[in-house]
Amino acid sequence: MLAAYRLAQLLNAALPAGACLWLAERLAERHWRHAASDRRAVQENLAAILHQPVAERSPLGREVFRNFARYLEEFIRAPRLLSSPLVVEGEEDLGTLLRAHPRCLILSAHVGNWELGGMLIRRMGIPISAVFLPHQDPEVNRFFDAQRLRCGVGVIPLGVGATPACLG
């Protein structure tokens, strides 16, 4: 799996963003078609959220795969994104609030590319750390942590030490 992420990193450095996004979506489609266990996991999660059964090949489940691919593409492209001019609606208000309350906790739903939000806060000059669920593969986990740290976001692994790390 690490090799796939490294390849995505190389392609991202060499190709325009639109081409990377197109490729990510095609790979998500392929994964959705061939990864039955992942499809079932998404199906179960959607059924729990929606409180109703979801068909295994539901278009909604397929869109979850596509959205996750978009997230990964943006996550890998984050250093390039953050070095370009971005307009963030409400950035000034958020900066004022976070500077007034430097030891606050920010809760975010896992909607859209939530990691870019933390990276943008760091780009505003405000230190930030985030709690992350470690990947099962330690090498993949190091890849993701390195990308977060590269973008200035401190890493707090979910687990026994997460609460003291957040409060300390």
Side-chain angles (χ1 to χ4, degrees):
M1 184 55 79
L2 179 63
Y5 290 123
R6 293 275 185 227
L7 177 59
Q9 208 171 30
L10 290 171
L11 289 171
N12 196 282
L15 297 174
C20 292
L21 186 57
W22 180 87
L23 182 58
E25 289 177 347
R26 300 298 78 72
L27 291 171
E29 291 285 335
R30 184 179 191 288
H31 189 69
W32 177 77
R33 282 194 305 274
H34 300 288
S37 63
D38 289 348
R39 235 184 4 257
R40 280 191 296 279
V42 167
Q43 176 188 10
E44 290 171 13
N45 288 342
L46 287 172
I49 292 166
L50 300 172
H51 304 290
Q52 64 184 25
V54 175
E56 182 184 354
R57 295 208 178 248
S58 159
L60 188 58
R62 181 175 165 231
E63 195 58 28
V64 168
F65 279 74
R66 290 171 56 97
N67 283 333
F68 186 69
R70 291 180 194 115
Y71 150 78
L72 284 174
E73 193 280 326
E74 288 175 350
F75 179 76
I76 290 169
R77 187 168 25 110
R80 286 173 48 196
L81 275 173
L82 296 171
S83 65
S84 62
L86 296 171
V87 175
V88 179
E89 190 173 317
E91 181 175 359
E92 187 175 310
D93 294 333
L94 179 63
T96 299
L97 182 65
L98 292 176
R99 285 182 190 85
H101 304 281
R103 294 185 49 85
C104 69
L105 293 175
I106 300 171
L107 301 178
S108 170
H110 210 301
V111 176
N113 197 328
W114 58 273
E115 293 207 59
L116 279 180
M119 293 172 183
L120 285 167
I121 289 171
R122 182 64 195 116
R123 188 179 93 158
M124 294 165 54
I126 298 167
I128 186 167
S129 293
V131 177
F132 295 98
L133 177 65
H135 288 264
Q136 291 178 346
D137 181 334
E139 288 184 355
V140 171
N141 196 59
R142 280 190 292 278
F143 173 86
F144 276 79
D145 286 353
Q147 182 75 343
R148 291 172 180 129
L149 291 168
R150 182 178 173 198
C151 294
V153 176
V155 176
I156 300 172
L158 181 64
V160 175
T163 300
C166 288
L167 300 175

